[in-house]
Amino acid sequence: MLVSEIIQSSIPVLHYDDSVEYAIELLQQNNLGHLAVINNDNYEGLLSIDELLSAAETDTINMLSDKFMRIGIADNQHFSSALKLITDYGITALPVLSNHAEYLGAITEKNLLQALNTFLNTDIPGGIFVLEMPKQKFSVGELCRLVETNDAFVTQLNTYTEALSGLLIVTIKINKTEISDILATLQRYDYTIRNYFGEEFYENGLKENFENLMAYLNV
């Protein structure tokens, strides 16, 4: 999903001759903490409400040019790059620029969250597995094959490295809500399952082992 697909052209902008008082009102009306500054159709930077609140209300935006954040993203970038910039800089609206540095609009936290929701297929029901493993054990092909042996397929797969343990954390979403058979298959191939979410009908080795343990303890 590209930045151009989630851009909002309706987000207001600030101009050099706008007053600080007007700028603060505009930010508050739109529930934003940052707005792009445009001068003669050129993008100059991003201005935060914190900087505006620290300025005199009679000042104009051009008097705060040294406070501008020189942040923007090209419209042909992947939306995950926008997510990183918004997270790294703690901004509420990210200016989007053309290849010629023309201001096209902005991406807000709200519509970025909506894009992430679409990207992660959260509206589509399905079981979820969270696995942990050394990086050298990770194989997309094998994981997909194991899921497919149970008449299912992977609809989403994401990974990250856990800082404390150094383990690779793999999250898999499948197209079925009933996860018993796939859970058993992953366990049979020695995958460590940290969490799983779905309808678990207990027709698998995990339940059988639990029942055997309880029977042993009751002897």
Side-chain angles (χ1 to χ4, degrees):
M1 186 181 300
L2 298 180
V3 166
S4 58
E5 298 177 60
I6 59 173
I7 187 175
Q8 285 187 279
S9 57
S10 59
I11 302 298
V13 297
L14 299 174
H15 297 89
Y16 265 18
D17 56 354
D18 289 335
S19 69
V20 166
E21 182 180 17
Y22 169 77
I24 292 173
E25 291 178 359
L26 193 61
L27 281 159
Q28 291 174 338
Q29 289 171 2
N30 290 273
N31 196 30
L32 291 171
H34 304 80
L35 282 179
V37 179
I38 306 298
N39 182 41
N40 295 326
D41 296 328
N42 296 318
Y43 171 65
E44 299 294 337
L46 196 65
L47 190 58
S48 73
I49 193 168
D50 291 337
E51 296 293 351
L52 289 165
L53 291 172
S54 299
E57 291 188 354
T58 54
D59 286 348
T60 53
I61 297 303
N62 66 304
M63 299 171 66
L64 304 176
S65 59
D66 61 326
K67 306 296 184 182
F68 294 170
M69 302 171 68
R70 311 296 177 177
I71 302 172
I73 189 169
D75 64 333
N76 60 358
Q77 293 296 302
H78 192 266
F79 90 96
S80 60
S81 298
L83 177 61
K84 186 178 189 309
L85 284 173
I86 284 180
T87 302
D88 288 350
Y89 289 95
I91 55 179
T92 57
L94 176 64
V96 179
L97 310 176
S98 71
N99 290 334
H100 304 291
E102 298 169 319
Y103 178 80
L104 302 176
I107 296 176
T108 65
E109 292 176 308
K110 182 178 179 179
N111 66 302
L112 189 58
L113 191 60
Q114 292 171 338
L116 188 60
N117 178 66
T118 301
F119 181 73
L120 294 176
N121 287 324
T122 56
D123 292 336
I124 301 175
I128 296 175
F129 299 93
V130 182
L131 315 176
E132 60 178 56
M133 65 190 71
K135 292 181 181 179
Q136 60 268 26
K137 182 179 173 61
F138 177 59
S139 170
V140 174
E142 180 175 72
L143 288 171
C144 290
R145 179 180 62 80
L146 294 178
V147 170
E148 290 167 3
T149 59
N150 293 279
D151 297 321
F153 60 86
V154 174
T155 60
Q156 186 74 31
L157 190 151
N158 294 286
T159 67
Y160 73 91
T161 301
E162 191 173 57
L164 187 61
S165 66
L167 292 172
L168 189 69
I169 308 302
V170 182
T171 301
I172 302 172
K173 184 173 182 180
I174 63 172
N175 67 318
K176 294 168 61 175
T177 56
E178 202 286 295
I179 63 173
S180 301
D181 293 341
I182 298 171
L183 182 61
T185 298
L186 292 171
Q187 291 171 333
R188 190 164 63 251
Y189 280 80
D190 296 324
Y191 280 99
T192 301
I193 302 171
R194 178 173 289 190
N195 293 295
Y196 58 88
F197 308 90
E199 297 175 3
E200 218 268 288
F201 293 150
Y202 303 117
E203 299 173 354
N204 55 68
L206 183 65
K207 177 60 175 178
E208 182 181 350
N209 292 339
F210 175 76
E211 290 178 342
N212 290 339
L213 175 63
M214 294 305 294
Y216 172 79
L217 294 175
N218 289 330
V219 171

